[in-house]
């Protein structure tokens, strides 16, 4: 018996006949929280195990993707807690700058008020008020799911302590010249009126137009193609490739820019692809990132012709038009002048959209704050290359390196009011002062603070250490940094993970923020389609929890969680997991009603039946398998292993085999009761991290223990008199019970093939001499619904299986002639299928022309026909003779 199952003798409570999750889950969770099971003590001498929650946005509610991720994290921390670690699952939420500001602005709009009517200070107060009223929704959902987080440590990225951390690292980066202010092309959202980073741009194929425009006239003309004709008003050059002989005579000259009266130079630049289009491109440095770089190389002017709302600012007839209105008007004006050489509509091309409001992004020249990511990104890449941080699954490393090795400087300023305000003050004489958290900002007339706030990912990038009290060297930092593992989706590998790596290594003296990055996929519907409200396939996890229970939702999600792979999920799968929870409940209830116990040690090996030894041997194998899968973050495999062990081996075989033993009574029954108690105890503890509620209710009823949350994680079970390295194993018992299973399975299949009902009793004679099956005859007869052979017994069917023979009298059970006709019809169909597939595979003309997948399909059909013929022939041979 494992150490922690040594419980004092107790009287097991009688369980309700049905498991009702709603009656169990809420009270259990509150009891766990009240008892402080999820809290973390930095003074503990236990080894630490730390995971941070990827902070959900305060604006939202938990979707199925959150439930998936939280299930995996909770499973890891629950297991480590049971293994004796001081676990910290750090909870909290992100202030979500753009998203939150948008939500509150929409609320104000309902009142007929804008943020500008309130002013900055009053608007920020309104956001805090909204956060107080609406921000608790996520916490309630996490409790419903069973998240074992340290609630007393809950943090918010705008908390005072986290704000101090943000200001501290900004100041350090600024002083180290890793933060600077410069005018560059950025992604601008004309709806949100702010810059956004590259990773906040969503690209999708839109239908637009491609127009080819002739600049200049005669020999001094050149044709360029564009999907954004409105930006031509800001063109300051046309660029061609230096080796393109078609335009060599124009390089260094000027041509006329239509509609403007300006002349612009033709420049040679290697960025231009001479094979694409006409081999010439218009250069608009103020409205295109590539054009901006061409402009820098050739010292071109940057002319902004669109304002922050996407409205034309250039002088002339187009001034004041929205960008899309201006596009049509400008193409019309060019057409009237005979400048349009070709038009293509619709022209499908990739267009960037704001991930928050879906507005088309406008590249725009703007003065912004930037992080010089070069040295930070190199450190983040080296940490993985040098083995300080492992990425799991390993094949995801290439995606990580592809990102961090090619990072551009990061635009961190946002033109918002909600967020961490940039701690920089400007003086009346052009002074620029960056202020740390413990410094007084400069005062006096003419001084003012920068109006921008920081990108949300700037503060969430500090999450692994700012939540522990950094920049102070707190006991929590000392105990719980770095994190043991980061569990997150591959979709935010670039958003969040890379930023945490850069900031963690920089701020924490080269210590990365976590030892392992375990990446999971995205939750999709049962057809593999992305879940979205617009698709009509989004699922509120609370709906499924209400219907099937939280354990069912968790188990379904975990059972689909292969590392780095997307997870399809459908409601029928959750129903299946609910059935599994019910099976666990019913089997444990049966065991308790029949005296299963954990009291006292396990009997000696020579006092155990073959079934007892088999299930204990299998139990130890499963303990080892589950541990290996946990250590490799193979949640799907460990869940599947536990499902099949619990349902197939424990409940469907061992419990059924034990029924006859319990009925017989005596020492053998007592031994089996103790073994069943042991097996259930260990199985429930193995299942607990994934399905915490039902296992808590059953384990405390079975063992009388305080809580399975703080029970010891299972190790290999030892049996007196049969000690072995790695715990008790009995290969002979496993072979013996596998033989029983083989016989029972074959006879069940035969019964089903003959059309017998599962509960229909049939007379039979079992010839078991010379096999290990004799001790199991009573159990086998019970499992197969076989009655003893009487004096008038006549064997009408005989099944040889595993060295034994099962003779059956089916004369009163089936209509033999009708069954013979049915089987003969099935056999004829199978033989026809075999003949057809054999002929096709023997046809050389077919083999020469048919695609490989078609030929493989025919081979599969042929193999299936051969198997059917063998099976049906055996059934016919086993039928009673006339």
């Amino acid at each position: 018996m494992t150490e922690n199952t040594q419980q004092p003798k107790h009287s097991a409570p009688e369980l309700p006949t049905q498991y009702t999750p709603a009656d169990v889950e809420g009270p259990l969770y509150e009891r766990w929280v009240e008892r402080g099971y999820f809290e973390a003590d930095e003074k503990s001498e236990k080894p630490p195990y730390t995971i941070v929650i990827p902070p959900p946005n305060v604006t939202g509610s938990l979707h199925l993707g959150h439930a998936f991720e939280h299930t995996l994290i909770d499973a890891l921390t629950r297991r480590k807690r049971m293994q004796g670690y001081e676990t910290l699952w750090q909870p909290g939420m992100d202030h979500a700058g753009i998203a939150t500001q948008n939500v509150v602005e929409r609320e104000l709009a309902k009142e007929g008020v804008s943020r500008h009517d309130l002013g900055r200070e009053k608007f920020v107060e309104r956001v805090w008020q909204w956060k107080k009223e609406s921000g608790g929704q996520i916490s309630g959902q996490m409790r419903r799911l069973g998240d074992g987080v340290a609630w007393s440590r809950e943090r918010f990225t705008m908390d005072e302590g986290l704000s101090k951390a943000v200001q501290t690292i900004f100041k350090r980066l600024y002083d180290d010249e890793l933060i600077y202010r410069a005018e560059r092309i950025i992604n601008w959202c004309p709806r949100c009126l702010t810059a956004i980073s590259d990773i906040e741009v969503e690209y999708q194929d839109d239908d637009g137009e491609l127009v080819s425009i002739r600049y200049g006239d005669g020999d001094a003309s050149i044709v360029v193609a564009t999907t954004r004709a409105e930006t031509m008003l800001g063109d300051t050059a046309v660029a061609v490739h230096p080796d393109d002989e078609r335009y060599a005579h124009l390089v260094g000259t000027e041509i006329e820019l239509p509609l403007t009266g300006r002349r612009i130079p033709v420049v040679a630049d290697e960025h231009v692809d001479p094979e694409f289009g006409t081999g010439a491109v218009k250069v608009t440095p103020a409205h295109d990132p590539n054009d901006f770089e061409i402009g820098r190389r050739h010292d071109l002017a940057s002319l902004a012709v669109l304002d922050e709302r996407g409205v034309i600012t250039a002088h002339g007839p187009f001034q004041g038009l929205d960008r899309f209105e201006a596009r049509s008007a400008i193409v019309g004006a060019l057409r009237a002048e005979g400048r349009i050489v070709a038009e293509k509509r619709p022209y499908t091309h990739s267009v960037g959209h704001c991930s928050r409001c879906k507005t088309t992004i406008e590249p725009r020249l703007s003065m912004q704050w930037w992080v010089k990511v070069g040295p930070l990104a190199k450190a983040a890449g080296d940490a993985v290359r040098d083995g300080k941080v492992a990425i799991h699954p390993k094949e995801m490393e290439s995606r990580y390196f592809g990102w961090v090795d090619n990072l551009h400087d990061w635009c961190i300023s946002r033109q918002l009011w909600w967020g961490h305000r940039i701690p920089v003050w400007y003086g009346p004489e052009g002074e620029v002062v960056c202020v740390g958290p413990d410094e007084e900002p400069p005062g006096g007339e003419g001084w003012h603070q920068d109006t921008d706030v920081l990108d949300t990912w700037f503060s969430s990038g500090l999450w692994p250490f700012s939540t522990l009290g950094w920049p102070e060297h707190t006991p929590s930092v000392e105990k719980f940094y770095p994190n043991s593992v980061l569990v997150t989706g591959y979709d935010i590998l670039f958003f969040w993970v890379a930023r945490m790596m850069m900031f963690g290594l920089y701020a924490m003296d080269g210590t990365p923020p976590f030892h392992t990055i375990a990446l999971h996929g995205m939750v999709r519907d049962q057809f593999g389609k992305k879940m979205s409200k617009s698709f009509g396939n989004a699922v509120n996890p609370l709906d499924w929890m209400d219907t099937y229970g939280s354990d069912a939702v968790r188990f379904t999600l975990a059972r689909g969680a292969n590392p780095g792979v997307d997870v399809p999920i459908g409601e029928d799968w959750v129903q299946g997991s609910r059935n599994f929870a019910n099976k666990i409940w019913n089997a444990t209830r049966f065991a308790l009603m029949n005296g299963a116990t954990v009291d006292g040690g396990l009997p000696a090996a020579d006092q155990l039946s073959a079934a007892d030894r088999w299930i204990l041997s299998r139990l130890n194998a499963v303990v080892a398998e589950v541990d290996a899968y946990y250590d490799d973050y193979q949640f799907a495999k460990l869940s599947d292993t536990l499902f099949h062990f619990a349902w197939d081996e424990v409940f469907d075989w061992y419990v059924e085999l034990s029924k006859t033993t319990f009925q017989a009574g005596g020492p053998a029954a007592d031994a089996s009761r103790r073994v069943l108690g042991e097996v259930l105890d260990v199985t429930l503890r193995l299942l607990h991290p994934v399905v915490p509620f039902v296992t808590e209710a059953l384990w405390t009823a079975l063992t009388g223990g305080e809580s399975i949350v703080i029970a010891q994680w299972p190790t290999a079970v030892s049996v007196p008199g049969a000690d072995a390295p790695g715990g008790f194993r009995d290969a002979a018992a496993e072979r013996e019970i596998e033989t029983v299973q083989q016989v029972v399975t074959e006879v069940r299949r035969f019964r089903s093939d003959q059309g017998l009902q599962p509960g229909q009793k049939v007379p039979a004679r079992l010839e078991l001499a010379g096999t290990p099956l004799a001790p199991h005859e009573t159990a086998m007869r019970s499992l197969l619904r076989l009655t003893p052979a009487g004096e008038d017994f006549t064997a009408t069917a005989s099944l040889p299986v595993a060295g034994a023979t099962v003779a059956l009298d089916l004369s009163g059970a089936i209509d033999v002639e009708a069954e013979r006709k049915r089987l003969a019809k099935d056999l004829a169909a199978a033989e026809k299928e075999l003949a057809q597939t054999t002929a096709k595979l023997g046809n050389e003309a077919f083999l020469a022309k048919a695609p490989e997948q078609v030929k493989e399909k025919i081979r599969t059909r042929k193999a299936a026909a051969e198997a059917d013929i063998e099976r049906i022939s055996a059934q016919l041979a086993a039928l009673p003779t006339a």
Side-chain angles (χ1 to χ4, degrees):
M1 178 173 176
T2 50
E3 180 182 339
N4 81 307
T5 56
Q6 294 281 8
Q7 305 288 343
K9 290 187 178 182
H10 73 288
S11 177
E14 185 174 336
L15 294 170
T17 55
Q18 272 191 319
Y19 175 52
T20 307
D23 295 341
V24 172
E25 293 175 350
L28 279 186
Y29 189 83
E30 291 310 312
R31 188 183 313 157
W32 292 336
V33 172
E34 288 168 6
R35 293 178 178 179
Y37 292 154
F38 305 142
E39 295 303 324
D41 181 6
E42 59 263 18
K43 297 177 182 177
S44 168
E45 295 184 1
K46 297 177 183 178
Y49 187 80
T50 314
I51 297 182
V52 294
I53 191 173
N57 288 352
V58 69
T59 55
S61 59
L62 294 188
H63 52 62
L64 206 56
H66 289 119
F68 170 58
E69 186 168 77
H70 288 206
T71 294
L72 306 187
I73 298 174
D74 197 40
L76 290 173
T77 53
R78 284 179 183 271
R79 173 178 177 253
K80 286 296 183 180
R81 186 180 295 111
M82 296 170 76
Q83 286 182 316
Y85 286 78
E86 190 64 31
T87 59
L88 169 59
W89 183 9
Q90 174 66 54
M93 285 180 284
D94 192 286
H95 66 279
I98 296 176
T100 303
Q101 180 156 319
N102 283 346
V103 168
V104 178
E105 285 197 77
R106 284 197 295 269
E107 293 296 313
L108 289 174
K110 295 175 185 177
E111 304 169 14
V113 179
S114 75
R115 64 180 167 115
H116 298 286
D117 294 328
L118 293 181
R120 183 169 192 143
E121 186 176 337
K122 292 292 184 183
F123 176 76
V124 171
E125 288 178 7
R126 184 66 177 260
V127 180
W128 276 108
Q129 178 185 334
W130 176 89
K131 189 262 181 186
K132 183 179 180 181
E133 294 170 354
S134 305
Q137 183 178 2
I138 290 174
S139 299
Q141 292 170 318
M142 290 170 62
R143 291 170 183 269
R144 281 291 308 279
L145 189 63
D147 286 3
V149 299
W151 286 113
S152 68
R153 293 172 173 263
E154 186 175 12
R155 304 304 299 269
F156 180 54
T157 49
M158 290 285 286
D159 284 350
E160 182 180 349
L162 272 65
S163 296
K164 181 178 181 180
V166 168
Q167 196 171 351
T168 298
I169 201 161
F170 187 100
K171 171 70 171 173
R172 291 186 186 179
L173 289 165
Y174 181 88
D175 289 346
D176 288 342
E177 299 183 349
L178 293 173
I179 281 183
Y180 63 94
R181 192 170 185 243
E183 191 175 43
R184 301 278 173 82
I185 290 283
I186 47 89
N187 301 299
W188 182 266
C189 177
R191 156 62 185 80
C192 298
L193 298 179
T194 182
I196 63 174
S197 64
D198 291 343
I199 52 180
E200 292 170 306
V201 178
E202 294 179 348
Y203 287 90
Q204 66 184 47
D205 288 340
D206 287 356
D207 285 340
E209 61 180 352
L210 180 68
V211 294
S212 297
I213 309 168
R214 179 171 50 83
Y215 287 13
D217 295 296
D219 291 339
S221 68
I222 198 164
V223 175
V224 299
T226 181
T227 59
R228 304 176 67 224
E230 69 279 7
T231 63
M232 67 157 291
L233 301 176
D235 287 358
T236 55
V238 171
V240 298
H241 193 275
D243 300 330
D244 195 333
E245 294 181 0
R246 293 173 295 176
Y247 305 115
H249 67 289
L250 292 176
V251 173
T253 68
E254 291 186 342
I255 58 175
E256 184 180 346
L257 178 65
L259 306 181
T260 66
R262 290 192 290 113
R263 296 185 64 81
I264 59 175
V266 178
V267 299
D269 195 279
E270 292 188 352
H271 170 76
V272 180
D273 180 1
E275 303 298 324
F276 182 77
T278 64
V281 297
K282 58 191 286 299
V283 182
T284 321
H287 295 285
D288 183 274
N290 294 321
D291 293 2
F292 177 76
E293 295 301 326
I294 293 174
R296 291 178 65 178
R297 288 193 288 271
H298 297 277
D299 197 25
L300 300 175
S302 294
L303 299 181
V305 294
L306 291 165
D307 71 8
E308 62 183 8
R309 296 183 185 275
V311 173
I312 296 291
T313 60
H315 294 297
F318 312 108
Q319 186 173 7
L321 293 180
D322 173 79
R323 53 185 168 158
F324 301 118
E325 296 172 335
R327 182 175 300 171
S328 298
I330 289 171
V331 170
L334 290 167
R335 190 184 298 114
E337 288 191 5
R339 295 283 177 180
I340 300 296
V341 176
E343 297 180 66
K344 184 176 181 180
R345 295 190 187 90
Y347 177 74
T348 302
H349 60 128
S350 182
V351 177
H353 295 260
C354 174
S355 62
R356 302 296 180 188
C357 70
K358 312 309 177 187
T359 299
T360 300
I361 288 300
E362 192 63 49
R364 185 167 186 256
L365 186 63
S366 179
M367 182 67 76
Q368 301 286 343
W369 285 94
W370 304 80
V371 171
K372 187 184 295 183
V373 299
L376 303 174
K378 182 180 184 304
D382 290 346
V384 175
R385 290 188 173 93
D386 298 345
K388 291 181 179 178
V389 179
I391 294 180
H392 187 88
K394 190 172 178 62
E395 52 266 28
M396 285 285 181
E397 280 187 2
S398 60
R399 295 183 65 171
Y400 176 78
F401 292 136
W403 179 256
V404 298
D405 293 348
N406 297 284
L407 269 180
H408 299 295
D409 283 1
W410 171 20
C411 176
I412 56 172
S413 46
R414 299 291 180 267
Q415 288 64 55
L416 304 171
W417 287 356
W418 172 245
H420 295 101
R421 197 163 172 183
I422 288 176
V424 171
W425 271 256
Y426 304 105
E429 304 299 326
E431 303 96 331
V432 179
V433 177
C434 181
V435 178
D438 300 319
E439 301 172 350
E440 286 293 325
E445 186 176 347
W447 283 90
H448 64 279
Q449 186 177 358
D450 197 299
T451 57
D452 289 351
V453 300
L454 287 163
D455 178 10
T456 298
W457 297 104
F458 190 95
S459 50
S460 60
L462 313 180
W463 192 248
F465 49 92
S466 64
T467 52
L468 300 174
W470 187 91
E472 307 303 326
H473 190 73
T474 65
S476 289
V477 170
E478 180 71 26
K479 178 73 175 180
F480 295 114
Y481 187 90
N483 284 202
S484 306
V485 61
L486 173 74
V487 179
T488 192
Y490 64 72
D491 58 316
I492 58 172
L493 180 62
F494 318 130
F495 285 81
W496 189 43
V497 179
R499 279 142 175 71
M500 286 191 289
M501 285 285 284
M502 291 191 296
F503 283 167
L505 289 160
Y506 173 79
M508 305 302 286
D509 299 320
T511 302
F514 17 74
H515 298 301
T516 301
I517 302 167
L519 298 171
H520 59 72
M522 309 287 289
V523 176
R524 298 183 178 271
D525 71 12
Q526 58 189 322
F527 305 109
K529 190 174 182 180
K530 180 181 178 181
M531 284 191 172
S532 165
K533 290 180 180 178
S534 60
F535 295 153
N537 62 351
V539 174
N540 182 343
L542 289 181
D543 292 341
W544 280 356
M545 289 183 218
D546 290 341
T547 305
Y548 306 109
S550 298
D551 282 334
V553 175
R554 290 171 61 116
F555 193 71
T556 304
L557 292 165
R559 206 172 175 197
N562 290 297
V565 179
D566 288 345
V567 183
I569 185 172
E571 187 168 0
D572 55 336
W573 302 339
V574 187
Q575 292 174 358
S577 296
R578 187 261 321 266
N579 295 343
F580 179 52
N582 290 341
K583 185 81 170 179
I584 301 170
W585 184 273
N586 293 334
T588 306
R589 183 171 179 272
F590 164 84
L592 290 173
M593 290 172 64
N594 284 273
T597 181
V598 297
D599 294 334
L602 282 171
D606 58 6
Q607 297 175 329
L608 300 177
S609 69
D612 294 335
R613 298 195 305 277
W614 161 73
I615 198 64
L616 290 173
S617 184
R618 287 292 305 128
L619 178 67
N620 277 343
V622 167
V623 169
E625 287 176 32
V626 169
D627 274 332
Y629 287 141
Y630 261 116
D631 292 342
D632 200 33
Y633 305 100
Q634 297 278 1
F635 297 99
K637 289 183 179 178
L638 72 89
S639 299
D640 212 47
T641 296
L642 287 170
F643 174 86
H644 287 294
F645 175 70
W647 192 307
D648 300 344
E649 299 186 76
V650 179
F651 306 150
D652 280 358
W653 283 104
Y654 182 68
V655 168
E656 293 300 317
L657 289 170
S658 299
K659 285 180 179 179
T660 53
T661 307
F662 294 156
Q663 290 167 0
D670 291 338
S672 290
R673 290 186 181 99
R674 180 63 190 86
V675 170
L676 180 55
E678 182 77 8
V679 171
L680 287 174
D681 169 24
V682 174
T683 302
L684 290 170
R685 283 186 281 142
L686 289 172
L687 282 165
H688 171 72
V690 180
V691 284
F693 294 109
V694 68
T695 51
E696 169 81 334
L698 295 175
W699 186 85
T700 52
L702 173 70
T703 68
E706 178 184 338
S707 173
I708 197 171
V709 176
I710 54 172
Q712 180 182 309
W713 180 252
T715 54
V717 174
S718 295
V719 174
D723 288 339
F728 173 77
R729 295 300 299 271
D730 191 329
E734 290 193 36
R735 288 193 298 271
E736 183 173 330
I737 300 303
E738 284 170 6
T739 305
V740 173
Q741 292 172 324
Q742 182 182 356
V743 173
V744 171
T745 301
E746 284 298 316
V747 176
R748 280 176 172 169
R749 182 180 295 118
F750 177 77
R751 286 175 56 106
S752 176
D753 289 341
Q754 304 309 314
L756 295 175
Q757 296 300 313
Q760 190 172 351
K761 295 186 177 181
V762 177
R765 182 173 60 245
L766 276 61
E767 298 171 6
L768 308 177
T771 74
L773 298 169
H776 306 286
E777 179 170 353
T778 302
M780 290 166 63
R781 285 185 176 277
S782 175
L783 290 166
L784 291 168
R785 304 296 190 267
L786 303 179
T787 59
E791 292 182 3
D792 58 347
F793 176 82
T794 301
T796 60
S798 185
L799 297 175
V801 186
T805 300
V806 179
L808 305 168
D809 180 1
L810 303 178
S811 56
I814 62 171
D815 184 336
V816 176
E817 283 309 309
E819 185 64 16
R820 192 181 303 280
K821 288 180 181 179
R822 184 184 71 79
L823 290 173
K825 183 179 178 181
D826 291 347
L827 181 61
E831 288 173 338
K832 181 180 179 181
E833 172 75 354
L834 178 60
Q836 290 176 340
T837 53
T838 301
K840 276 199 171 184
L841 293 173
N843 185 331
E844 292 188 5
F846 168 77
L847 293 176
K849 294 180 180 179
E852 183 57 36
Q853 61 265 32
V854 173
K855 290 185 283 188
E856 184 58 34
K857 187 175 181 180
I858 300 298
R859 294 188 195 105
T860 302
R861 284 172 52 195
K862 180 176 181 288
E866 290 171 337
D868 286 344
I869 290 170
E870 182 179 356
R871 175 180 56 81
I872 297 168
S873 298
Q875 292 173 26
L876 279 166
L879 282 175
T881 56

